[in-house]
Amino acid sequence: MLILDGRPLSYDRAFTHAGISYPANWLRLSSYEEKTAIGISEVPDSPWYDQRFYWGPELPKDHEGLVTLWIDNTNQTAYTLLAPSDWYVIRKQETEVAVPQDVLDRRGEIRTYCDSKREAISATTTTDELAAYITSAAYSEWEPPAPTPEPTPEEIVETPEGEDSIIFTGGVTSTGIIDGGSSDDLISFG
């Protein structure tokens, strides 16, 4: 961070010092010597910390309060995901029209995800553990993983005896892995 007269300077912003106006690109274009000649000093940036979990570097917020906050946030996320399909449930109560099974299944998945996330949050014992969980993919995932599709018959490639084929996504295939007769295998792509 660059400091001049006790104030931080930002790159790409014009500034005035000692009655002289400096253009926005001056800090980028000037040399170290030019900067120090007018009194600019460089100090290390403050260490980064996630303000959701810490008051400052190595200064965690109250773990129990954060657990309550993140459980509330998780409940709110579940509520937001359930809200678009609430009308099916209301219609069922009012008119006895059945809720489609895929809607019921998805609502059940959302509640299951919410329950497991709340349990994981409650299982943490430190702010560091809580921060690691909340910032992980496990916390942000609310959809089941997509199934791995089976190759269709047109993606299956017959190869001559003794050669192996590799199927790449998008249906691109190799022409085979060929033993070149030496100690090294040759991989040939077509």
Side-chain angles (χ1 to χ4, degrees):
M1 173 185 331
L2 300 177
I3 303 290
L4 178 62
D5 298 330
R7 294 186 331 239
L9 294 176
S10 298
Y11 283 97
D12 303 319
R13 293 195 70 178
F15 66 97
T16 301
H17 172 67
I20 300 172
S21 294
Y22 293 87
N25 64 350
W26 191 85
L27 290 173
R28 290 210 182 273
L29 299 176
S30 62
S31 68
Y32 174 77
E33 290 78 19
E34 290 170 318
K35 289 175 188 143
T36 56
I38 66 166
I40 296 175
S41 60
E42 190 167 355
V43 297
D45 290 334
S46 300
W48 182 87
Y49 61 93
D50 192 331
Q51 295 179 5
R52 296 175 297 173
F53 305 101
Y54 301 93
W55 293 111
E58 305 298 322
L59 185 58
K61 292 182 178 180
D62 173 59
H63 177 257
E64 293 306 315
L66 288 172
V67 166
T68 301
L69 173 74
W70 283 101
I71 286 175
D72 289 346
N73 286 351
T74 303
N75 289 338
Q76 183 61 42
T77 300
Y79 170 79
T80 301
L81 293 170
L82 289 168
S85 61
D86 282 350
W87 72 273
Y88 285 106
V89 177
I90 294 167
R91 180 183 70 175
K92 167 77 169 127
Q93 290 174 339
E94 293 177 351
T95 65
E96 293 299 316
V97 174
V99 178
Q101 189 59 47
D102 62 325
V103 172
L104 291 173
D105 292 346
R106 179 64 183 136
R107 290 175 66 86
E109 285 175 351
I110 292 168
R111 286 190 295 275
T112 300
Y113 278 112
C114 185
D115 291 343
S116 66
K117 292 172 191 313
R118 287 190 308 226
E119 288 172 14
I121 290 167
S122 295
T124 64
T125 58
T126 67
T127 299
D128 290 340
E129 286 177 13
L130 178 63
Y133 175 67
I134 296 298
T135 58
S136 73
Y139 179 74
S140 60
E141 184 62 51
W142 286 84
E143 295 284 333
T148 304
E150 293 294 322
T152 61
E154 54 273 0
E155 291 178 327
I156 298 175
V157 178
E158 295 295 325
T159 59
E161 178 104 15
E163 287 187 14
D164 296 326
S165 285
I166 300 171
I167 299 175
F168 297 94
T169 57
V172 176
T173 61
S174 75
T175 58
I177 299 175
I178 303 164
D179 184 349
S182 67
S183 62
D184 295 329
D185 287 336
L186 172 68
I187 300 177
S188 172
F189 296 98

